[in-house]
Amino acid sequence: MVAMQAHMMRSKAPHPSEMACLHAAIDAFPPRPVADFLLSVFIKHATDTFFYLDQDQMLSDIDQFYMDTTSPLRSDLSFVCLAMATFALGSQWTPLERPEGFAVSLHRDNGDLGQVFYTHAKTLIPDLIDRPCLRSIQAPFLLGVYLMPASAIGSSYIYMGLALRKAMAFDLHLNPEDQAVDSREREVRCRLWWSIYSLERCTTVKLSRPRSIDANVIKVPHPSPLPALDRLQRYNNIQFQMAYSRLIKILDRIAEPCGAVTGAEEESESEALASELRQWKKSLPPDFKLDDTDPKDSRYRTIFHLYLNYYYAWITMGKVALVTVARTRLRCHMFPESRPPDPSDATLRQSRYCAKAGRKLLLLFEDLTKTRNITRFSFTDFQGCSIATIVGLVAGITERDSGYNSRVKFGLDCLRRMATGNMTAKLGVNFVEAVQSITNEAAEKLHQASSAVNETQNVQASASISDYNQWAEWLARLEHPRALEQRAIHENTSDWRTAGEQYISESPNPQNLAYDSTMLREFQPIEHDPLSGLQSDDPTFLMGLTGIDVLDFSGFT
């Protein structure tokens, strides 16, 4: 059926407007040395944990395109669109290849380096949508990745969804049983599917969007080594593809649990997922360590991103618990008369997991900065640093160790560096700074409330000492020498009572005894919950807490 459909689609004559866009894109191809450079940058820096395309096949096709003016690739709209998308994505990463001391104009450095290629690629997308070939899936996938830094929640999300839908229409999610497909083609389809699904699913979690496809309908096996294919890839990242696809399956279940009905079941499910995360980390090959990897090696950033998403999974699991603990402790101190129930042990445990993962993530960015692998073009990097910083801010409401200020400062400085030349990312930095103001205010009110309680306790202690002293003095006056006592017996009882009333009237004003409650009332009229801006029934709360949508605050003022 797929073969018949492909034959029918190819038999259609191209529309004149389609041919005009195609010729314009071909005229925009860069000189051969530039094309080779952009492809090498694309493979080295942009490939990461994904399989966009067969690198050897793409290099061979590019060679044919430039060397043979009669090549059928020059009339193949899907190839031209894929090539343009590859050049665009490669252009984004060229700053990492810039020699030290190389002069570059400020305007060009801050511009969108791949815009010219993207503009031509997107004009070909409408005509590419109904073409049943792998390139028609790969091209929108690459454009989705290219657009993530500028429009993660907009155009990028749409292109990613288009790639996923076309992959499903092409049955890439099913186990290929067609014997006409050889082992190489089968593995290419398998790797392409898991690359699209993994990035799309991870992105929807980070954007707080619902999953696009239920993982239960996926029947294609995970990527696996195939020497005939792997040895020809300029950057062989099959081990990373395998590890990443397994991690995303765990993240998918963390983001949308199966739905436990009781607290015990929910706690059991969370512990099971935590155990799977630990097992995933233990299963990584021994050479998947940043300390043992050359910072200039392509593997460095790939390993970094694996660990980044690993810690992100822990944060996803515990982010609600983190805020719950902070809110509960604030309410306990500021509204003691309506003390909320203490968080459960499971909630406290998940909150600690989340805070620890945030600290670990910032340590990863310290390594990335020291090795000069930081870049302003990665949505994954910006979002990861953002969430780690915000988690640290929320955790710091109730507890701040000696390293708190330096961690927060580093996180914000790192975000500002990555936001250079990107207005949307700058708005993201403003968002994190706003969260910092909220958490600082909450921490200050918590400190004030705690100080009030301590002062009240001191006042109560002083009042207790004063009361005892007066009681002792009164008792001493009653216990005068025996002669006075004997005389008092013969005196009028009312005189004794009058004397007693005189002694009692010298005690403090009863209003002063209520000083402690007056002090508490002075701190209680807080009109809003300091964390009200961090949690609500609106799903945008989780987006805000995690720094998920900080790259696309269009209209944010």
Side-chain angles (χ1 to χ4, degrees):
M1 292 290 292
V2 172
M4 291 173 63
Q5 182 185 13
H7 177 73
M8 292 171 60
M9 296 303 296
R10 290 194 194 99
S11 63
K12 291 184 178 180
H15 191 274
S17 62
E18 178 183 332
M19 293 304 298
C21 291
L22 177 62
H23 290 152
I26 291 176
D27 291 340
F29 264 63
R32 177 65 187 273
V34 175
D36 290 342
F37 171 69
L38 291 178
L39 277 173
S40 67
V41 173
F42 163 77
I43 293 173
K44 180 178 180 180
H45 296 293
T47 302
D48 209 71
T49 57
F50 307 110
F51 181 89
Y52 300 120
L53 41 82
D54 183 339
Q55 299 166 19
D56 179 67
Q57 183 64 50
M58 186 64 180
L59 292 171
S60 175
D61 289 344
I62 287 291
D63 185 67
Q64 179 183 336
F65 178 90
Y66 278 97
M67 298 296 293
D68 184 0
T69 56
T70 63
S71 170
L73 292 174
R74 288 181 168 267
S75 59
D76 188 336
L77 183 145
S78 60
F79 168 76
V80 173
C81 185
L82 177 60
M84 284 284 134
T86 305
F87 294 149
L89 186 54
S91 297
Q92 275 189 343
W93 296 95
T94 52
L96 288 182
E97 289 295 307
R98 187 170 60 225
E100 292 186 19
F102 184 82
V104 61
S105 69
L106 182 63
H107 174 74
R108 181 172 298 277
D109 186 49
N110 290 339
D112 187 346
L113 304 179
Q115 182 66 34
V116 62
F117 303 117
Y118 164 69
T119 299
H120 285 287
K122 72 176 182 179
T123 63
L124 302 176
I125 287 293
D127 299 312
L128 199 68
I129 289 177
D130 59 356
R131 289 182 177 252
C133 62
L134 289 182
R135 288 175 181 147
S136 68
I137 302 171
Q138 294 163 329
F141 179 33
L142 282 170
L143 291 178
V145 177
Y146 165 77
L147 289 168
M148 285 184 77
S151 184
I153 207 169
S155 300
S156 172
Y157 180 73
I158 294 171
Y159 275 116
M160 206 73 69
L162 174 60
L164 184 69
R165 287 289 185 272
K166 283 194 64 67
M168 292 181 66
F170 212 59
D171 289 338
L172 295 192
H173 63 299
L174 302 179
N175 196 357
E177 298 179 354
D178 187 354
Q179 297 302 318
V181 179
D182 60 21
S183 59
R184 183 189 180 97
E185 178 73 10
R186 186 180 298 113
E187 186 60 29
V188 166
R189 292 166 59 100
C190 169
R191 295 182 185 186
L192 179 59
W193 165 260
W194 280 107
S195 295
I196 295 173
Y197 170 77
S198 297
L199 183 56
E200 198 274 346
R201 182 57 184 132
C202 188
T203 304
T204 54
V205 172
K206 293 178 179 179
L207 294 174
S208 195
R209 293 292 191 263
R211 60 155 65 104
S212 302
I213 175 177
D214 193 324
N216 292 327
V217 306
I218 301 175
K219 305 303 179 184
V220 63
H222 282 272
S224 59
L226 183 65
L229 176 63
D230 298 331
R231 64 171 174 261
L232 297 177
Q233 304 307 298
R234 186 174 294 186
Y235 177 42
N236 178 15
N237 67 341
I238 180 58
Q239 294 296 330
F240 296 110
Q241 295 178 48
M242 294 163 58
Y244 187 61
S245 62
R246 290 189 291 110
L247 177 62
I248 295 305
K249 289 195 72 172
I250 302 174
L251 177 62
D252 173 69
R253 291 165 51 211
I254 290 174
E256 297 188 37
C258 62
V261 282
T262 67
E265 290 177 343
E266 184 177 352
E267 182 176 350
S268 175
E269 183 178 353
S270 296
E271 284 304 306
L273 289 170
S275 177
E276 287 189 40
L277 280 177
R278 296 187 188 97
Q279 289 300 320
W280 176 88
K281 186 179 180 183
K282 290 180 180 178
S283 69
L284 295 178
D287 60 341
F288 277 30
K289 295 180 180 178
L290 284 180
D291 293 341
D292 300 334
T293 306
D294 184 351
K296 298 299 182 183
D297 193 323
S298 301
R299 300 172 71 254
Y300 189 89
R301 284 184 57 85
T302 308
I303 295 173
F304 166 79
H305 284 147
L306 270 183
Y307 282 105
L308 183 154
N309 286 301
Y310 167 73
Y311 291 123
Y312 177 79
W314 282 107
I315 290 173
T316 302
M317 183 184 296
K319 60 192 177 186
V320 174
L322 181 76
V323 175
T324 300
V325 170
R327 289 170 64 90
T328 301
R329 291 181 178 171
L330 280 165
R331 287 171 174 168
C332 285
H333 283 82
M334 293 189 292
F335 305 101
E337 74 284 356
S338 58
R339 180 185 178 89
D342 292 333
S344 66
D345 291 341
T347 300
L348 292 172
R349 185 164 54 251
Q350 289 187 7
S351 176
R352 289 194 296 269
Y353 289 161
C354 185
K356 182 179 179 181
R359 293 192 297 270
K360 291 279 191 179
L361 202 43
L362 284 178
L363 287 175
L364 283 181
F365 278 97
E366 286 187 13
D367 291 337
L368 199 69
T369 303
K370 291 175 183 176
T371 58
R372 303 184 66 180
N373 272 291
I374 198 80
T375 174
R376 62 187 175 90
F377 291 112
S378 174
F379 165 80
T380 302
D381 291 3
F382 190 95
Q383 191 275 337
C385 186
S386 171
I387 184 176
T389 305
I390 291 177
V391 164
L393 289 169
V394 176
I397 292 175
T398 56
E399 184 178 357
R400 298 186 177 185
D401 59 19
S402 59
Y404 170 81
N405 289 329
S406 61
R407 284 197 300 271
V408 171
K409 182 181 184 303
F410 168 78
L412 285 169
D413 288 346
C414 199
L415 288 173
R416 294 185 188 105
R417 194 177 306 118
M418 286 189 282
T420 302
N422 188 321
M423 182 54 65
T424 324
K426 288 181 179 179
L427 292 176
V429 176
N430 293 341
F431 173 79
V432 179
E433 291 172 340
V435 175
Q436 183 185 28
S437 298
I438 293 173
T439 54
N440 282 343
E441 179 185 358
E444 178 61 25
K445 289 185 175 181
L446 181 59
H447 174 73
Q448 290 177 354
S450 300
S451 299
V453 170
N454 293 335
E455 188 173 345
T456 298
Q457 291 173 347
N458 293 335
V459 169
Q460 290 174 335
S462 299
S464 176
I465 293 173
S466 176
D467 291 343
Y468 182 85
N469 286 339
Q470 297 199 48
W471 171 81
E473 291 176 4
W474 176 78
L475 183 61
R477 292 177 182 180
L478 289 181
E479 295 179 346
H480 277 304
R482 184 170 300 274
L484 294 178
E485 292 180 5
Q486 292 297 326
R487 187 180 63 180
I489 292 174
H490 297 288
E491 289 181 356
N492 189 288
T493 306
S494 61
D495 293 338
W496 180 86
R497 289 174 179 170
T498 301
E501 289 173 1
Q502 180 182 358
Y503 299 143
I504 294 174
S505 67
E506 294 173 2
S507 66
N509 189 312
Q511 294 178 352
N512 294 337
L513 298 179
Y515 177 66
D516 55 336
S517 60
T518 304
M519 284 189 62
L520 288 178
R521 284 196 298 271
E522 290 176 357
F523 285 94
Q524 284 177 1
I526 298 170
E527 297 180 357
H528 66 280
D529 183 347
L531 277 182
S532 60
L534 292 183
Q535 181 162 321
S536 69
D537 294 333
D538 194 324
T540 54
F541 152 66
L542 290 183
M543 295 168 61
L545 167 67
T546 56
I548 283 167
D549 60 347
V550 295
L551 285 181
D552 197 22
F553 261 73
S554 338
F556 177 76
T557 59

